[in-house]
């Protein structure tokens, strides 16, 4: 693996690792090894699943959370962890697509989520580096000044507290910025460890390494695991990104996956405070963090569709150069990446998964704003399960259909999938297994056929069938993370072929070396 291209730049950590997970002991939970019966079964133990379980168990419901891997080790553990209702330049766009009432509701749902986190941290004295920060979207390009100005007009029309400024506190000149005050940042893992422990204290159960393979609809619903166990329940909440139960609703065609990258760095210059996002691409995201008591900077950005990047290491290098130019770079302490799902109209899907099945609920499609949207989802789905009305249920309903811009995005997205399905099958590699160096992976030609190959640090060759087990697209090698990524719907597999992220549920096939 390439670790460093330019001798003037500092070295990268060899392996990706999130600071949030590295700095927090996350408790282990058992695998489900019996049939159980609960009020609510929650599939997926990230911020959405754990918060939903916390809220429901606090109300006295009997809950079980199951996760195919370890709790909090998906996107939740790999975010930049900004807690804000400022989701890029979105309010002006939403005003024109959805109108004032719905756009204001979107703001309020996310503002309420921030308040929930703030209150929970304060009341329970959770030590999670929660700090209040002003959030900025800035531009250094003349082309984006009007967009910032339109966003400010939208803030005023919607009554969102904020201001328009030309210069931010950042140490480079900007043309314009919009600021939303009193937002926040934290380390999500200790916060959610507290909630997970509360779930157990409140009588709930959490199971890890438990893969759900299907659900029998009905009342009660019956969830089935890959080990043949059953969870009988009154309600199901799917909070595992792609709905685990998707035979008819085709969510895989209504969502697309994007990856983005994060560095935690020691800098020469002092960070001025605040959270920042560039309006223009390539996106640049900034916030501060304390690592071992030392102030450092988190630099994020470089989003691209999963499996459709070029050499993935170059995304880390682009962030490194930005950090060096902006603050002066002393050391890259951590590097990690995250995967986020996008809905067709940029609003998340929260609520009943299918219009005619009231007891199976869904929460997904947060774009990159999962810290607030997940909590909004947990609050809304808790209300739906406890039969309370919520002002947000129509806005986020997964069965909504907004003609603009849904149809166009749906067609474009699925044309993109079709293109990758065909292109992947036609692509021929001439590389051979014996040409691979240690810690190098590639699609190779083996006995006249495509195969995925990775030679590990000990020299052992790992071979997989590159046909994605979801719907048959061809996976590509992700050099920076040492994974096989699918360009069609974002499934990801380890170099040994095991599923890291769905919608695929089955491992890649094995290929035997001759
Ligand atoms: Fe759908 Fe790979 S994720 S084909």
């Amino acid at each position: 693996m390439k670790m460093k291209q330019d001798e003037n730049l500092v070295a990268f950590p060899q392996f990706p690792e999130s600071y949030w997970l590295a700095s927090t002991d996350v408790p282990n939970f058992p695998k489900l090894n019996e049939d159980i019966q609960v009020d609510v079964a929650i599939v997926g133990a990230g911020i959405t699943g754990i918060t939903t379980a916390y809220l429901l168990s606090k109300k006295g419901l009997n809950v079980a959370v199951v996760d195919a891997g370890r709790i909090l080790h998906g996107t939740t553990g790999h975010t930049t962890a900004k807690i804000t209702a400022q989701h890029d330049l979105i309010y002006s766009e939403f005003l024109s697509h959805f109108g004032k009432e719905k756009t204001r509701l979107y703001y309020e749902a996310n503002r309420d989520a921030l308040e929930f986190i703030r209150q929970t941290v304060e009341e329970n004295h959770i030590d999670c580096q929660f700090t209040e920060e002003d959030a900025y979207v800035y531009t250094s390009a003349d082309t984006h000044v009007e967009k910032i100005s339109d966003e400010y007009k939208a803030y005023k029309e919607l009554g969102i507290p904020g201001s328009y400024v030309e210069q931010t506190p950042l140490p480079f000149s900007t043309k314009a910025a919009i600021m939303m005050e009193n937002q926040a940042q934290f380390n999500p893992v200790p916060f959610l460890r507290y909630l997970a422990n509360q779930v157990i204290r409140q009588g709930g159960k959490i199971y890890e390494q438990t893969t759900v393979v299907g659900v029998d609809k009905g009342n009660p619903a019956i969830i089935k695991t890959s080990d043949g166990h059953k969870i009988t329940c009154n309600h199901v909440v799917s909070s595992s990104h792609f709905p685990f139960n998707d035979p008819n609703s085709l969510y895989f065609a209504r969502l697309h996956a994007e990856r983005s990258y994060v560095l935690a760095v020691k800098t020469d210059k002092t960070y001025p405070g605040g959270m920042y996002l560039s309006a223009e691409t390539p996106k640049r995201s900034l916030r501060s963090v304390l690592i071992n008591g030392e102030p450092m900077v988190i630099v994020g950005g470089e989003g691209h569709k999963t499996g459709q990047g070029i050499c993935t290491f170059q995304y880390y290098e682009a962030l490194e150069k930005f950090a060096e130019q902006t603050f002066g770079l002393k050391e890259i302490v951590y590097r990690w990446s995250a995967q986020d799902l996008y809905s067709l109209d940029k609003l998340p899907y929260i609520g009943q998964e299918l219009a005619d099945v009231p007891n199976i609920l869904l929460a997904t499609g947060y774009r990159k704003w999962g810290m607030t949207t997940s909590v909004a989802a947990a609050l809304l789905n808790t209300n739906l399960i406890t039969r309370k009305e919520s002002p947000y249920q129509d806005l986020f309903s997964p069965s909504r259909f907004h003609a603009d811009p849904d149809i166009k995005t749906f067609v474009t997205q699925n044309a993109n999938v079709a293109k990758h399905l065909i292109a992947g099958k036609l692509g021929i590699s001439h590389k051979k297994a014996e040409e691979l160096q240690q810690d190098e992976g590639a699609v190779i030609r083996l006995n006249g056929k495509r195969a995925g190959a990775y030679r590990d640090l000990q020299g052992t060759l790992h071979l997989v069938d590159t046909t994605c087990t979801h719907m048959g697209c061809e996976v590509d090698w992700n050099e920076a993370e040492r994974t096989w990524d699918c360009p069609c719907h974002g499934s990801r597999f380890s170099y040994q072929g095991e599923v890291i992220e769905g919608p695929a549920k089955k491992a890649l096939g094995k290929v035997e070396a001759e």
Side-chain angles (χ1 to χ4, degrees), residues 89-98 103 151 154 345-346 405:
L89 300 179
I90 201 70
Y91 289 104
S92 168
E93 183 183 333
F94 280 4
L95 264 178
S96 65
H97 286 145
F98 309 126
T103 306
E151 189 75 352
D345 61 1
K346 298 191 182 173

Side-chain angles (χ1 to χ4, degrees), residues 44-52 65 67 70-74 76 192 239:
I47 183 168
T48 310
I50 294 294
T51 309
T52 309
V65 188
D67 196 286
R70 292 228 47 219
I71 72 163
L72 311 179
H73 276 59
T76 299
L192 290 161
S239 55

Side-chain angles (χ1 to χ4, degrees), residues 97-109:
H97 286 145
F98 309 126
K100 187 170 172 181
E101 195 187 331
K102 286 183 175 168
T103 306
R104 173 77 201 178
L105 281 172
Y106 180 88
Y107 167 71
E108 287 172 3

Side-chain angles (χ1 to χ4, degrees), residues 468 470-473 486 488-491 503:
C468 177
H470 177 230
M471 288 180 68
C473 290
C486 181
C488 287
H489 312 104
S491 289

Side-chain angles (χ1 to χ4, degrees), residues 16 19 43 227 306 362 367:
Y19 167 65
V43 182
D227 290 337
T306 302
L362 170 70
R367 296 187 291 130

Side-chain angles (χ1 to χ4, degrees), residues 191-390:
F191 173 76
L192 290 161
R193 177 180 60 184
Y194 172 83
L195 296 196
N197 286 334
Q198 284 302 108
V199 169
I200 302 299
R201 282 188 202 111
Q202 287 160 187
K205 295 272 192 290
I206 299 175
Y207 299 98
E208 296 183 320
Q209 314 300 340
T210 302
T211 304
V212 169
V213 290
V215 59
D216 287 346
K217 289 186 214 120
N219 203 354
I222 298 173
I223 287 180
K224 296 172 191 161
T225 73
S226 58
D227 290 337
H229 295 299
K230 291 179 183 159
I231 307 173
T232 306
C233 54
N234 299 327
H235 285 90
V236 179
V237 179
S238 168
S239 55
S240 57
H241 279 203
F242 276 96
F244 66 89
N245 169 48
D246 192 16
N248 308 318
S249 40
L250 305 181
Y251 278 95
F252 63 81
R254 296 167 61 190
L255 289 160
H256 80 265
E258 289 200 10
R259 299 199 64 69
S260 55
Y261 299 82
V262 181
L263 299 179
V265 295
K266 260 188 221 178
T267 56
D268 292 327
K269 287 186 194 157
T270 305
Y271 188 78
M275 307 186 296
Y276 303 87
L277 182 71
S278 65
E280 57 270 28
T281 52
K283 286 288 178 190
R284 296 289 177 256
S285 164
L286 290 164
R287 59 159 282 187
S288 60
V289 64
L290 274 182
I291 297 184
N292 299 326
E294 211 178 321
M296 298 197 198
V297 181
I298 287 185
V299 186
E302 292 289 311
H304 64 86
K305 280 195 169 182
T306 302
Q308 300 185 18
I310 3 173
C311 159
T312 46
F313 216 85
Q314 73 174 32
Y315 300 113
Y316 285 118
E317 288 170 348
L319 295 180
E320 177 198 28
K321 282 182 189 153
F322 174 71
E324 165 63 19
Q325 283 160 5
T326 309
F327 298 106
L329 194 52
K330 280 188 182 152
E331 187 183 344
I332 301 171
V333 185
Y334 288 94
R335 69 173 175 96
W336 68 86
S337 64
Q339 181 144 312
D340 292 282
L341 292 189
Y342 287 65
S343 70
L344 292 173
D345 61 1
K346 298 191 182 173
L347 293 173
Y349 300 129
I350 307 168
Q352 272 181 233
E353 183 181 328
L354 299 164
D356 56 346
V357 183
N359 62 343
I360 300 185
L361 307 175
L362 170 70
T364 189
Y366 305 152
R367 296 187 291 130
K368 289 190 168 47
W369 304 103
M371 292 298 100
T372 51
T373 319
S374 60
V375 171
L379 291 163
L380 170 51
N381 280 337
T382 297
N383 273 338
L384 296 177
I385 289 169
T386 53
R387 306 205 194 294
K388 278 199 198 142
E389 292 285 305
S390 164

